Amino acid sequence: MEKSKQVLLAHGSGGKLSQELVRNMFVGELANEALCRMDDSACLDAGDGRLAFTTDSYVVSPIFFPGGNIGKLAVCGTVNDLSTSGATPKYLSLAMIIEEGLPFEDLSRVVQSIKATAEEAGVCIVTGDTKVVNRGKADKLFINTAGIGVVPRGVNISGVNAKPGDIVMLSGSIGDHGMAIMAQREGFTFSVPVESDCAPLNGLVAEMMKVSSNIHVLRDPTRGGLASTLNEIAAQSGVGIEIEESKVPVKDAVRSACELLGFDPLYVANEGKMIAIVAREDADKVLAALRNHRYGIDAAVIGEITAEHKNRVVLRTALGARRIVDMLSGELLPRIC
Amino acid sequence: MEKSKQVLLAHGSGGKLSQELVRNMFVGELANEALCRMDDSACLDAGDGRLAFTTDSYVVSPIFFPGGNIGKLAVCGTVNDLSTSGATPKYLSLAMIIEEGLPFEDLSRVVQSIKATAEEAGVCIVTGDTKVVNRGKADKLFINTAGIGVVPRGVNISGVNAKPGDIVMLSGSIGDHGMAIMAQREGFTFSVPVESDCAPLNGLVAEMMKVSSNIHVLRDPTRGGLASTLNEIAAQSGVGIEIEESKVPVKDAVRSACELLGFDPLYVANEGKMIAIVAREDADKVLAALRNHRYGIDAAVIGEITAEHKNRVVLRTALGARRIVDMLSGELLPRIC
Ligand SMILES: Nc1ncnc2c1ncn2[C@@H]1O[C@H](COP(=O)(O)OP(=O)(O)OP(=O)(O)O)[C@@H](O)[C@H]1O
Ligand SMILES: Nc1ncnc2c1ncn2[C@@H]1O[C@H](COP(=O)(O)OP(=O)(O)OP(=O)(O)O)[C@@H](O)[C@H]1O
Ligand SMILES: [Mg+2]
Ligand SMILES: [Mg+2]
Ligand SMILES: [Mg+2]
Ligand SMILES: [Mg+2]
Ligand SMILES: [Mg+2]
Ligand SMILES: [Mg+2]
């Protein structure tokens, strides 16, 4: 593909072009140790303690969808990115860009969800900002949250830490969030309705950390889906990842919706799932801890880290074939989160 | 005015409706100690130290203007909000919402400015996010930065700390940013060109703090201008503020531009100015420190804190009259920052 001189929608897909833009334009130019790690949250020294710091903007359309809304999403997404470094999420900022004309009723419902979700996650919204732009210059509501968490001493969880032999597990089924947004946006009704999995996963991560100090990587497979996120980790750690297709949980309703619409669930966004890469000896304990939590009941081991095919993700299909699973290329579903 | 059921542009003005929206909808619902103080950055306990945390989204139009661009603004604004709590700004997050079709050349110029300004301010961009929305669903580029700073022990600078007898000073002339944006947006050319004052003020604040431990309030008069910001402080501290009109620095070019266009400079946004409210005995030292810094050469004492007319800002005009200066009502210049 020829290099575009303009930003394309695919530059926000969470896939290849996203990564290229972020690497070349932002991380490349603004380089420093924390940023260049390219983890979901930056770990920072703050005198005596270590902090995690992360940010996401939320531009999902529509702003209300089955299983949540942009407000719930804005809390969960940032809490989850903090959780990926093993941090205890503490403080959030809340910045709203509102399109002129947004009904107060909608704004109020969003704020109620923010409140409820922040309470569930045990985080405090301590600072904020509110901008309003003219009609037609934004789309209803964009939210940015940044988050600060505290990383307990001795904890070192990062995308660079996957080691050959490690076990790859997933906290539950994939594709729910993406297909729920898709259905809502396009007005599809499936025989079994699909709901977003949007959830704050800090409690789940805390349970895992209680039973193991050998969790090497945590990562939430959001834009770009499981396939893109595993590719990111493979590249960060310089390892191979082998996944067994039949072990990746996908709900029937999501699978049929994906088939109908021609999506591969491996590339569909999730907002309440965690990938955990764990030392082999602790895998059973961690899996049990996951399954014991309301957000991890469908958790499964889905594969392992290999020394072979470095930087690549390989899928073993049900029929025993192996295929390389690349990052998402192009844009699958714009404005999914 | 009848209560609107929809968000109006004036809800983003930095004036009355802004404050009402923020207070009723956000701060009211999400109430906690740090948030309810309504300072420009939240001061947080982090085990051993104290942190400042703040966020702003930047939606300025056009994204390039005389004296800066949206990238420079996004670093300065957040650095300045951290500086208002006497914090040393350390880490920034950088979240971009890009409209499909933005030329890479523009994006790159913005990133260069972010880099240069972060370097000047001595802050590190440690985490980020990049979303792309379809053409027509945003306007070129919106940026959010959140910032973390470290508050030295014993420092307690807040909008609640103004005391009768304190001296009010301003680090330089007002209205430059707003009029520069206005001119650029509307294609006006003034006989003397007006430039944005956009600048990172942490160095300036550090110089003030070196010479005095009796700085009670610092606040950057952004949206809503000097008048609205002083009203915020008067209300937070429950004091009166008296300002001498003739002492408020306004550049000739800005004054004539304002006259021409019917603006009152007291309500026009600034992006490189600081209000300092200081114990009377330290006023001379602090003023000297301000004037000694490149961003404070035009600094001036503009008034004082009074026990009378609590929660109000009173202006003494050149002719000796007194008038109450209220917060901005309605929207003066949308998308000024
Ligand atoms: N504009 C940017 N400037 C600096 N770093 C960025 C920028 N955008 C993304 N990054 C960095 O790139 C990495 C990946 O970011 P990305 O937003 O894809 O992760 P995520 O938040 O986990 O995913 P999602 O946004 O889908 O939830 C992170 O390390 C992030 O800090
Ligand atoms: N959406 C929001 N949620 C929670 N608090 C908010 C929100 N918007 C604003 N606030 C709070 O209101 C106060 C004023 O915010 P405001 O954005 O006006 O300040 P500022 O950043 O100094 O000004 P500007 O945005 O013009 O630079 C701050 O204490 C801020 O934390
Ligand atoms: Mg995220
Ligand atoms: Mg603000
Ligand atoms: Mg993530
Ligand atoms: Mg600000
Ligand atoms: Mg992100
Ligand atoms: Mg401010």
Side-chain angles (χ1 to χ4, degrees):
Chain A
M1 198 169 91
E2 224 194 293
K3 280 253 181 236
S4 167
K5 296 206 161 190
Q6 295 192 331
V7 175
L8 307 174
L9 273 175
H11 285 109
S13 65
K16 281 197 176 159
L17 281 181
S18 284
Q19 206 179 54
E20 204 179 290
L21 172 62
V22 168
R23 271 187 202 281
N24 299 345
M25 183 74 81
F26 304 124
V27 178
E29 289 293 338
L30 309 169
N32 59 64
E33 205 191 314
L35 190 66
C36 291
R37 276 204 150 199
M38 295 200 68
D39 278 328
D40 282 3
S41 59
C43 283
L44 309 170
D45 282 313
D48 266 278
R50 265 168 80 241
L51 297 175
F53 184 31
T54 192
T55 189
D56 264 327
S57 292
Y58 301 86
V59 298
V60 65
S61 170
I63 60 174
F64 297 101
F65 49 81
N69 61 53
I70 191 170
K72 181 177 180 186
L73 198 61
V75 175
C76 293
T78 294
V79 161
N80 294 347
D81 278 334
L82 289 173
S83 303
T84 64
S85 51
T88 306
K90 291 274 190 193
Y91 305 112
L92 296 192
S93 62
L94 174 65
M96 306 260 188
I97 299 174
I98 307 173
E99 184 191 14
E100 180 189 17
L102 181 76
F104 277 113
E105 203 191 309
D106 290 355
L107 187 57
S108 176
R109 280 174 65 198
V110 168
V111 175
Q112 290 308 322
S113 291
I114 289 172
K115 186 180 178 177
T117 314
E119 270 166 19
E120 182 188 344
V123 293
C124 254
I125 287 148
V126 293
T127 188
D129 181 58
T130 308
K131 298 289 191 294
V132 182
V133 299
N134 315 63
R135 223 176 272 264
K137 298 300 181 184
D139 192 9
K140 294 190 179 72
L141 179 60
F142 300 150
I143 298 181
N144 177 283
T145 50
I148 298 180
V150 174
V151 185
R153 252 167 231 303
V155 169
N156 171 19
I157 298 175
S158 162
V160 306
N161 289 342
K163 284 174 194 54
D166 285 355
I167 298 298
V168 181
M169 49 188 91
L170 186 63
S171 65
S173 64
I174 57 170
D176 302 67
H177 177 73
M179 295 321 287
I181 299 291
M182 181 67 193
Q184 181 75 8
R185 194 188 296 173
E186 306 298 337
F188 296 143
T189 38
F190 303 125
S191 44
V192 181
V194 175
E195 280 211 347
S196 168
D197 56 350
C198 182
L201 299 177
N202 53 327
L204 182 82
V205 167
E207 292 303 317
M208 296 166 70
M209 289 175 68
K210 265 188 210 158
V211 300
S212 170
S213 48
N214 294 305
I215 299 166
H216 294 162
V217 183
L218 294 171
R219 186 70 58 93
D220 57 333
T222 51
R223 285 179 296 164
L226 180 67
S228 301
T229 307
L230 289 175
N231 267 283
E232 278 172 35
I233 299 169
Q236 275 184 287
S237 289
V239 296
I241 302 185
E242 250 184 67
I243 298 300
E244 199 122 6
E245 191 170 29
S246 63
K247 294 195 175 157
V248 177
V250 187
K251 287 192 186 124
D252 287 340
V254 170
R255 195 184 296 283
S256 20
C258 279
E259 270 165 19
L260 199 73
L261 298 166
F263 289 120
D264 182 342
L266 287 174
Y267 291 97
V268 179
N270 312 281
E271 289 292 344
K273 295 294 147 41
M274 196 59 81
I275 298 167
I277 299 180
V278 178
R280 187 170 287 261
E281 65 269 24
D282 282 6
D284 291 345
K285 291 193 281 191
V286 174
L287 187 66
L290 278 171
R291 288 194 171 154
N292 208 24
H293 191 280
R294 61 186 284 221
Y295 293 137
I297 33 179
D298 296 326
V301 167
I302 61 166
E304 63 188 306
I305 304 299
T306 63
E308 290 143 57
H309 45 79
K310 282 202 199 327
N311 307 321
R312 299 214 170 278
V313 178
V314 172
L315 192 77
R316 288 197 302 262
T317 66
L319 301 172
R322 281 157 180 256
R323 63 175 175 93
I324 286 176
V325 173
D326 207 343
M327 294 201 87
L328 177 65
S329 43
E331 175 57 295
L332 190 66
L333 287 168
R335 299 185 58 196
I336 205 70
C337 66
Chain B
M1 199 169 91
E2 225 194 293
K3 280 252 182 237
S4 167
K5 295 206 161 189
Q6 296 192 331
V7 175
L8 307 175
L9 273 175
H11 284 108
S13 65
K16 280 197 177 160
L17 281 180
S18 284
Q19 204 178 55
E20 204 180 290
L21 173 62
V22 168
R23 272 187 201 280
N24 298 346
M25 183 75 80
F26 304 124
V27 178
E29 289 294 338
L30 309 168
N32 59 66
E33 204 191 315
L35 190 65
C36 290
R37 274 202 152 202
M38 295 201 67
D39 276 329
D40 282 4
S41 58
C43 283
L44 308 170
D45 281 313
D48 266 279
R50 267 167 80 240
L51 297 175
F53 184 30
T54 193
T55 189
D56 264 327
S57 293
Y58 301 85
V59 298
V60 65
S61 171
I63 61 174
F64 298 101
F65 49 81
N69 62 53
I70 191 171
K72 180 176 179 187
L73 197 62
V75 175
C76 293
T78 294
V79 161
N80 294 348
D81 278 334
L82 289 174
S83 304
T84 63
S85 51
T88 307
K90 291 274 189 192
Y91 305 112
L92 297 192
S93 63
L94 175 65
M96 306 260 187
I97 299 174
I98 308 173
E99 185 191 14
E100 180 188 16
L102 180 76
F104 277 112
E105 202 190 310
D106 289 356
L107 187 55
S108 175
R109 279 174 65 198
V110 169
V111 175
Q112 290 308 324
S113 290
I114 289 172
K115 187 181 177 177
T117 314
E119 271 166 20
E120 181 188 344
V123 293
C124 254
I125 287 148
V126 293
T127 187
D129 181 59
T130 307
K131 297 289 191 293
V132 182
V133 300
N134 317 61
R135 223 177 272 263
K137 298 300 182 185
D139 193 9
K140 296 191 179 71
L141 180 60
F142 299 150
I143 299 182
N144 176 283
T145 49
I148 298 180
V150 174
V151 186
R153 251 167 231 304
V155 169
N156 171 20
I157 297 175
S158 161
V160 306
N161 289 342
K163 284 173 195 54
D166 285 354
I167 298 298
V168 180
M169 50 188 90
L170 186 63
S171 66
S173 64
I174 58 170
D176 303 66
H177 177 73
M179 295 322 288
I181 300 292
M182 181 67 193
Q184 180 75 8
R185 194 189 293 172
E186 307 297 337
F188 296 143
T189 37
F190 304 124
S191 46
V192 181
V194 175
E195 281 212 344
S196 168
D197 57 349
C198 183
L201 300 178
N202 52 328
L204 181 81
V205 167
E207 291 304 316
M208 295 165 70
M209 289 175 68
K210 265 188 211 158
V211 300
S212 170
S213 48
N214 293 304
I215 299 166
H216 294 162
V217 183
L218 293 171
R219 186 70 58 92
D220 57 334
T222 51
R223 285 179 296 163
L226 180 66
S228 301
T229 307
L230 289 175
N231 268 281
E232 278 172 37
I233 299 169
Q236 275 183 288
S237 290
V239 296
I241 302 184
E242 251 183 66
I243 298 298
E244 198 122 7
E245 190 170 31
S246 63
K247 294 197 176 156
V248 177
V250 187
K251 286 192 186 124
D252 286 341
V254 170
R255 194 184 297 280
S256 20
C258 280
E259 270 166 18
L260 200 72
L261 299 165
F263 290 121
D264 181 342
L266 286 174
Y267 291 96
V268 179
N270 312 281
E271 289 292 344
K273 295 292 146 43
M274 196 59 83
I275 298 167
I277 299 179
V278 178
R280 188 171 284 262
E281 66 269 25
D282 281 6
D284 291 343
K285 291 194 281 192
V286 174
L287 187 67
L290 278 170
R291 289 194 172 155
N292 208 24
H293 192 281
R294 61 186 283 219
Y295 294 136
I297 31 177
D298 295 326
V301 168
I302 61 167
E304 62 188 305
I305 304 298
T306 63
E308 290 142 57
H309 46 80
K310 281 199 199 328
N311 307 321
R312 301 216 170 277
V313 177
V314 172
L315 191 77
R316 287 197 302 260
T317 67
L319 301 172
R322 285 159 176 251
R323 63 176 175 94
I324 287 177
V325 173
D326 208 344
M327 292 200 88
L328 178 64
S329 44
E331 174 57 295
L332 188 67
L333 287 169
R335 301 184 57 197
I336 205 69
C337 66

